[in-house]
Amino acid sequence: MPVSASTLRDIFGAAFTTDPAECLAYGYDNSRRQAQPDAVVFPTTHEQVVALVHACRTAHTPLIARGRGTNTTGATVPVDGGVVVSFERMNRIVKIDADNRLAVVEPGVLNGDLQTALAAQGFFWPPDPTSSPYCTIGGNLACNAAGPRAVKYGSCRENTLGLRAVVGTGDDLRCGVNTTKGAVGYDLTRLLIGAEGTLAVITQATLKLTPKPAAKATLRASYADVAAATAAVARIMAQPVVPCALEFMDDAALRLARAHAADAIPATGALLIVEADGDAEDLPRAIAALSVAASGAGLIELRSASDAHEAETLWAARRALSPALRTISPDKINEDVVVPVSRLPELIARLREIAARHSIPIVNFGHAGNGNIHVNLLPRDATEHARAQAALPEVFAAVIALGGTLSGEHGIGLAKRDFLDQALDPAALAFMRRIKAQFDPDGILNPGKLLPP
Ligand SMILES: Cc1cc2nc3c(=O)[nH]c(=O)nc-3n(C[C@H](O)[C@H](O)[C@H](O)COP(=O)(O)OP(=O)(O)OC[C@H]3O[C@@H](n4cnc5c(N)ncnc54)[C@H](O)[C@@H]3O)c2cc1C
């Protein structure tokens, strides 16, 4: 029994829709999956979310939290219908507290808008997905999203102090701290981060801020082949200077990037973008140490970006990769596996072997400093699509055999749900199911996502 329109009107006034055409726009995400919700609501207060969860629980109706639907895993697709809760109108930055290095925000604030507001006060929030201008803090937290800066500054879990949320029983939950230290009980904040809206709906977050570094320098290191580049990644991470970005592109990724910015991208076998930040007077020493580590067998050229424009051109080419892959393969399969950094050379070798055996193009690039590689399988027709689907379990098996895991930042959603039991210890998976039952006994929160049925 769906929640009735009159109940939704009581809670939201006019701020909801059951019009199928309007609902359609809230039934898809960047996974390109699609399903039809029964209603979409636009809360502006925590109390409305509490009332909605109670109503959905009474009516046994699924409730799917939604930021801007940019996730890649089907995590917001309402596979069982129900009510989509769009946080686009709950988007206030409640406060920026420089003294305590924190910001309190509602979930619908866009990552990019928050960064702009923080920059004016000399701070930033480290999670920096490429989608920053159009994804929300709520979505970032629910996916434990991150970007290039995570190698130095961590992802959402390392940069969030506390949350306010509504669990599947309708209970109000405040967890975490307002301080930069805290040692009181279980860490429910980290549990809800990365839970993909399956345990609770986040209505407010207290975020930990970091002062903006005064200066930044960028190196471009070109290598003869991917083995040389990935060996350099391990050397860079083994020495004391932590880069604030360490990005990798393989030869196929470079060919695509050259189409976007040929001047910035060399025609070599692999490339690293290595960045350091800090005080201007310390940077030369950091860059010198990173340069030594980046040098070694197979290095073709190591050069500093001469100015901010050259560095930005390099990054623009890197950011253009994901959309460029869609032009080759509208049905691209974009994974974001992670392995220990020292195993990157083996991972790339295994991926090449899988690509050759299944005769399917695989393009690799990503956040090498975290061992987090975007593995893109690019089927161009139905036959190749079937081959890519056959190759995918082998990709995951290789990653797990190398001591890695399924996702570094995109999460599980629908797309990887059925591989979860390969990535997790059976006892860990069983505890996750019990935790889900505690937070959401009727299974109304984002059903079908993350945990295999
Ligand atoms: C071009 C492009 C580039 C991208 N680059 C990156 C990248 O570099 N790094 C990266 O990590 N990701 C990246 N992504 C993926 C995506 O942008 C992130 O996962 C982002 O965090 C999703 O935010 P969203 O607001 O769109 O959330 P949605 O997609 O709407 O939702 C994502 C998940 O969060 C849940 N959710 C949303 N709001 C709440 C809430 N208030 N309470 C509880 N659960 C909630 C949803 O139910 C869902 O499970 C990229 C996507 C695109 C399209």
Side-chain angles (χ1 to χ4, degrees):
M1 175 184 69
V3 175
S4 69
S6 74
T7 302
L8 294 179
R9 195 169 299 109
D10 288 347
I11 302 172
F12 295 100
F16 78 97
T17 179
T18 54
D19 176 342
E22 288 175 356
C23 287
L24 189 70
Y26 292 84
Y28 71 94
D29 61 27
N30 190 41
S31 71
R32 300 199 158 191
R33 290 170 170 81
Q34 172 94 40
Q36 183 71 5
D38 300 306
V40 183
V41 300
F42 304 96
T44 50
T45 68
H46 170 87
E47 289 69 26
Q48 286 177 325
V49 178
V50 172
L52 177 69
V53 174
H54 281 298
C56 285
R57 196 176 181 202
T58 304
H60 302 290
T61 298
L63 183 160
I64 301 95
R66 182 180 172 97
R68 292 298 175 105
T70 65
N71 79 86
T72 61
T73 65
T76 48
V77 176
V79 280
D80 297 330
V83 181
V84 167
V85 187
S86 172
F87 281 101
E88 65 199 71
R89 298 184 193 171
M90 202 163 165
N91 61 353
R92 286 181 318 135
I93 297 175
V94 179
K95 70 172 173 182
I96 296 174
D97 177 353
D99 292 1
N100 293 302
R101 291 194 174 182
L102 62 82
V104 178
V105 301
E106 291 182 341
V109 172
L110 296 181
N111 181 303
D113 289 350
L114 176 65
Q115 306 294 1
T116 303
L118 294 176
Q121 301 203 28
F123 287 96
F124 70 106
W125 188 55
D128 58 339
T130 312
S131 48
S132 164
Y134 36 84
C135 65
T136 65
I137 301 299
N140 295 166
L141 295 170
C143 294
N144 195 25
R149 286 198 293 239
V151 62
K152 180 167 181 178
Y153 295 104
S155 60
C156 294
R157 285 200 171 113
E158 287 74 44
N159 291 287
T160 305
L161 299 175
L163 296 173
R164 189 172 192 201
V166 185
V167 304
T169 54
D171 290 314
D172 194 341
L173 175 68
R174 288 175 191 268
C175 54
V177 289
N178 298 308
T179 52
T180 49
K181 289 183 92 176
V184 182
Y186 303 130
D187 191 345
L188 298 179
T189 307
R190 283 177 78 100
L191 177 62
L192 296 192
I193 295 172
E196 301 182 12
T198 63
L199 299 180
V201 180
I202 297 164
T203 57
Q204 189 169 286
T206 303
L207 307 176
K208 180 180 165 188
L209 306 183
T210 301
K212 265 180 98 63
K216 192 183 272 187
T218 308
L219 288 173
R220 190 189 84 178
S222 323
Y223 297 87
D225 52 38
V226 290
T230 49
V233 171
R235 286 197 304 275
I236 291 168
M237 295 310 292
Q239 54 80 57
V241 175
V242 185
C244 65
L246 177 46
E247 297 288 304
F248 162 80
M249 293 186 224
D250 74 2
D251 47 349
L254 288 177
R255 279 194 292 279
L256 281 170
R258 278 179 62 75
H260 181 82
D263 293 347
I265 305 291
T268 56
L271 181 112
L272 298 180
I273 303 175
V274 190
E275 249 175 20
D277 63 7
D279 291 335
E281 57 273 28
D282 297 333
L283 270 189
R285 225 163 352 117
I287 285 294
L290 292 169
S291 300
V292 169
S295 303
L299 178 72
I300 292 175
E301 185 200 37
L302 180 66
R303 54 178 283 191
S304 303
S306 54
D307 55 23
H309 174 72
E310 190 177 331
E312 182 44 40
T313 309
L314 199 56
W315 278 107
R318 158 68 183 84
R319 282 193 293 267
L321 278 176
S322 227
L325 291 169
R326 279 257 191 252
T327 61
I328 298 175
S329 169
D331 282 339
K332 72 170 179 164
I333 302 173
N334 170 14
E335 298 303 339
D336 79 311
V337 301
V338 211
V339 295
V341 167
S342 63
R343 312 295 301 266
L344 277 173
E346 290 164 87
L347 173 68
I348 301 295
R350 296 281 280 275
L351 292 171
R352 297 199 150 210
E353 185 268 310
I354 292 169
R357 193 155 34 75
H358 289 272
S359 189
I360 185 87
I362 300 186
V363 175
N364 304 299
F365 60 91
H367 317 303
N370 291 108
N372 183 196
I373 299 295
H374 294 297
V375 176
N376 291 272
L377 291 81
L378 303 177
R380 287 158 297 190
D381 56 34
T383 321
E384 287 194 351
H385 191 77
R387 290 209 296 270
Q389 288 299 340
L392 194 56
E394 294 183 27
V395 171
F396 290 144
V399 165
I400 290 163
L402 292 169
T405 196
L406 301 180
S407 170
E409 54 184 28
H410 290 169
I412 299 299
L414 285 171
K416 277 161 273 185
R417 183 189 71 172
D418 296 332
F419 296 97
L420 209 62
D421 58 352
Q422 290 173 36
L424 295 176
D425 176 72
L429 185 55
F431 269 109
M432 285 189 190
R433 289 189 192 284
R434 280 187 244 165
I435 288 167
K436 167 75 176 168
Q438 285 292 312
F439 276 79
D440 181 24
D442 300 304
I444 58 169
L445 296 184
N446 210 1
K449 315 298 167 51
L450 207 160
L451 294 174

